[in-house]
């Protein structure tokens, strides 16, 4: 496995790397190697959530309110949006898959909603992008059969 970006705890990185990301009923995982996927992804996209800022668990009501605010912010930017769910159990977090957004705009949304990281990609290629400080881990999507 690649070296951890400076100043980001290894346990936090591992939590993101181990997390499933459900999109269109398909569970995706971050990986260092490409794999065939049973779905097509847009040419440019980002995945951003508003749940549990800085990995601090909030109440469901607080998280849902933040999620609605994120949806409004994405609509105001004018990008098409789909939805995904990251994590599982008490860390299950819905978010927005935003089509056509720039990395800069995705990072701004992540920062506005106090997130540790966003996912940014092109097709099956995905980067785990830490918001503060900005650090990029280049990866691929895979499924676990």
């Amino acid at each position: 496995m690649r070296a951890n970006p400076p100043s980001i705890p290894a346990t936090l990185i591992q939590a993101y790397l181990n997390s499933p990301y459900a999109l269109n009923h398909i569970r995706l995982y971050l990986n260092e190697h490409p794999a065939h996927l049973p779905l097509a992804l847009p040419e440019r996209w980002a995945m951003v959530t508003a749940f549990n800022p800085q990995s601090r668990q909030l109440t469901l009501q607080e998280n849902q309110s933040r999620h609605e605010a994120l949806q409004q912010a994405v609509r105001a930017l004018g990008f098409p949006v789909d939805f995904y769910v990251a994590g599982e159990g008490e860390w299950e977090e819905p978010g927005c898959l935003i089509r056509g957004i720039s990395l800069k705009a995705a990072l701004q949304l992540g920062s506005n909603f106090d997130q540790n990281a966003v996912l940014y990609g092109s097709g099956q290629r995905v980067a785990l992008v830490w918001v503060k400080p900005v650090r990029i881990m280049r990866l691929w999507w895979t499924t676990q059969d």
Side-chain angles (χ1 to χ4, degrees), residues 8 21-23 25 28-29 38 40 48 53-54 61 66-67 69 73 75 87 90 98 100 119 124 128 137 139:
I8 301 169
Y21 298 84
L23 179 64
H25 307 289
L28 301 171
Y29 295 86
V48 181
Q54 295 296 306
Q61 183 178 5
R66 292 174 57 82
H67 183 64
R75 279 194 296 272
E90 66 183 347
I98 308 158
L119 295 176
Q124 293 184 31
L128 176 57
M137 297 177 70
L139 302 159

Side-chain angles (χ1 to χ4, degrees), residues 15-136:
Y16 279 79
L17 294 176
N18 291 341
S19 180
Y21 298 84
L23 179 64
N24 297 333
H25 307 289
I26 298 171
R27 287 170 63 96
L28 301 171
Y29 295 86
L30 298 171
N31 197 305
E32 289 187 328
H33 306 287
H36 174 73
L37 293 183
L39 79 155
L41 290 162
E43 184 175 324
R44 186 171 60 174
W45 55 267
M47 293 172 97
V48 181
T49 185
F51 266 52
N52 300 319
Q54 295 296 306
S55 297
R56 290 183 328 268
Q57 285 188 314
L58 301 180
T59 66
L60 182 58
Q61 183 178 5
E62 290 170 309
N63 277 325
Q64 287 175 336
S65 176
R66 292 174 57 82
H67 183 64
E68 289 171 14
L70 172 62
Q71 290 177 64
Q72 289 175 359
V74 171
R75 279 194 296 272
L77 293 173
F79 293 107
V81 65
D82 293 311
F83 299 97
Y84 72 94
V85 176
E88 38 194 3
E90 66 183 347
W91 287 102
E92 187 173 278
E93 302 179 352
C96 296
L97 179 117
I98 308 158
R99 298 170 181 270
I101 193 168
S102 69
L103 176 57
K104 181 178 178 181
L107 284 169
Q108 187 62 58
L109 281 171
S111 179
N112 290 351
F113 287 91
D114 207 19
Q115 295 300 302
N116 291 316
V118 300
L119 295 176
Y120 189 80
S122 176
Q124 293 184 31
R125 191 71 167 146
V126 59
L128 176 57
V129 186
W130 301 94
V131 175
K132 294 177 187 173
V134 175
R135 299 287 187 260
I136 299 174

